[in-house]
Amino acid sequence: MNDPVFPPKLLVSHPVLAVADVVRAADFYASRLGFRYDRFWGEPPSFVMLFRGDVQIFLRSPASGPVEPAPKAYDECTGWDVYIRVSDADALHEEFVARGVVIARPPETAFYRMREFEVQDLDGHVLCFAHDVTAPPDSATDCPE
């Protein structure tokens, strides 16, 4: 029975992204975004858990074989698939550029005081990396309603 004074805590969330080829996608996340993984599940591989720091992202493809997800054109106002808070978005951006990652949106400070940049993975998923800023933003980013 739940205690209304001390309800159960939500501890962590792991995004699960559908990909066409789990091995190819995991290699991108490892070589370009600095994640690691220990193993694949399924034959052929259909699932992997990626880790970097305290962040985990799960990738899956149909067990019956890879299926191409619907292509997704990048548009900065359509939203993110994953939003990851980091200690320093600018330093991470520099790391990603050095690793050859194509940056979908370069670092900028949004009107809600988050310093953000975006990348798009091989399957079209948009990942936003961001940190809090304490000074008023230098520029505002706003998407039309």
Side-chain angles (χ1 to χ4, degrees):
M1 183 166 180
N2 288 337
D3 182 341
V5 177
F6 300 103
K9 292 181 183 178
L10 301 180
L11 299 177
V12 68
S13 174
H14 305 297
V16 180
L17 303 177
V19 298
D21 182 328
V22 166
V23 174
R24 182 172 164 257
D27 287 344
F28 169 83
Y29 276 80
S31 66
R32 302 298 179 141
L33 303 182
F35 282 81
R36 66 177 179 77
Y37 56 90
D38 297 324
R39 62 174 289 227
F40 295 99
W41 283 265
E43 190 54 49
S46 59
F47 184 80
V48 66
M49 298 187 309
L50 303 163
F51 308 88
R52 179 169 176 166
D54 292 331
V55 173
Q56 292 184 14
I57 297 175
F58 299 166
L59 305 178
R60 68 168 180 82
S61 65
S64 60
V67 173
E68 288 293 325
K72 180 173 157 185
Y74 173 78
D75 178 342
E76 69 181 56
C77 293
T78 59
W80 307 293
D81 295 295
V82 181
Y83 192 91
I84 300 172
R85 304 247 336 234
V86 301
S87 60
D88 186 338
D90 293 301
L92 187 62
H93 171 263
E94 290 176 16
E95 174 192 325
F96 285 0
V97 168
R99 290 175 178 254
V101 175
V102 175
I103 304 300
R105 182 172 60 95
E108 59 186 15
T109 302
F111 69 93
Y112 41 86
R113 299 181 197 260
M114 293 296 288
R115 182 81 175 156
E116 306 172 331
F117 74 96
E118 298 170 2
V119 302
Q120 192 169 24
D121 74 8
L122 299 176
D123 293 278
H125 301 293
V126 177
L127 290 80
C128 183
F129 299 89
H131 73 256
D132 283 320
V133 296
T134 55
D138 293 331
S139 63
T141 301
D142 203 358
C143 292
E145 307 240 354

